[in-house]
Amino acid sequence: MTQLKFDAKVSASAQEALEPHVRPLYDQPGGRRMAIIEFAAIERTEPAPGTEKEPSVKVRITGLELPNREQEPAVREAQRFLHLQRTARGTFDDDGQLELSDSTLRLTGGMLAYLETARLRAGLEHWREYAQRLVRGPDLTVTEMRHEMQALSDGLTAILHTARDHDGED
């Protein structure tokens, strides 16, 4: 696994964005601030073969913005959505309908757009893994491959039809 290392230096614009928050953080031990950051790779270390060191990449913060109190809820919402997008999981029931995991449902907070995003993400992940098993599995005949491709097509179609059913489009 490649290690990520942060360079202690930050760009001038990032430092400027941080300045108003330095004293309040100092005055409040354990304090936190939300931030939107951009970083750039500045150094790559590739150990020699046979050594026990891990490869690493060093990054420097090149862009940084910190929301004010009124903007912070919007940034937290974006963070929550990005986390949901990355971690959505679910399973298929006997009827081929996707049921989202409890942890994924908690992340949606009951918001319809989040529910749909999580459902689509979890469904696509399932069928991606199915396709990967086909690619990595034993050689199939043309007839067997057609059968597997039909199953894949049917599964993706079911996900899309469920999305339309939720939207009221049929």
Side-chain angles (χ1 to χ4, degrees):
M1 174 107 173
T2 303
Q3 291 183 342
L4 178 67
K5 298 179 179 182
F6 281 89
D7 185 37
K9 298 177 185 174
V10 295
S11 70
S13 65
Q15 184 63 42
E16 183 181 327
L18 283 170
E19 283 178 14
H21 301 275
V22 173
R23 185 63 196 199
L25 283 170
Y26 178 82
D27 291 341
Q28 183 186 18
R32 297 172 181 235
R33 295 292 188 274
M34 293 288 301
I36 299 171
I37 70 167
E38 176 184 13
F39 50 86
I42 60 168
E43 183 179 296
R44 173 184 155 170
T45 304
E46 187 173 349
T51 62
E52 294 190 22
K53 291 187 100 183
E54 293 184 1
S56 67
V57 61
K58 185 183 282 188
V59 296
R60 178 173 295 147
I61 297 173
T62 56
L64 178 72
E65 292 300 329
L66 288 92
N68 62 34
R69 288 190 189 275
E70 293 80 32
Q71 297 165 327
E72 192 172 306
V75 174
R76 286 196 186 280
E77 188 72 9
Q79 181 185 36
R80 190 172 123 211
F81 183 77
L82 290 170
H83 178 74
L84 172 67
Q85 182 80 18
R86 180 173 53 83
T87 63
R89 299 286 182 266
T91 58
F92 286 89
D93 65 15
D94 293 337
D95 297 327
Q97 296 297 310
L98 181 71
E99 295 179 1
L100 294 173
S101 69
D102 289 341
S103 61
T104 297
L105 286 171
R106 277 192 300 279
L107 285 172
T108 66
M111 300 186 81
L112 185 57
Y114 282 8
L115 283 167
E116 188 60 12
T117 297
R119 194 186 61 70
L120 289 171
R121 166 80 172 69
L124 288 173
E125 179 65 22
H126 169 81
W127 290 110
R128 182 191 65 81
E129 289 173 3
Y130 184 91
Q132 281 183 332
R133 286 192 303 270
L134 288 177
V135 169
R136 293 182 183 141
D139 290 337
L140 301 174
T141 66
V142 171
T143 302
E144 290 170 329
M145 185 54 79
R146 282 189 179 140
H147 174 76
E148 295 296 343
M149 292 303 294
Q150 186 63 53
L152 183 60
S153 175
D154 291 347
L156 291 170
T157 300
I159 291 171
L160 289 174
H161 283 174
T162 303
R164 285 190 201 113
D165 291 346
H166 285 265
D167 293 340
E169 307 169 9
D170 237 353

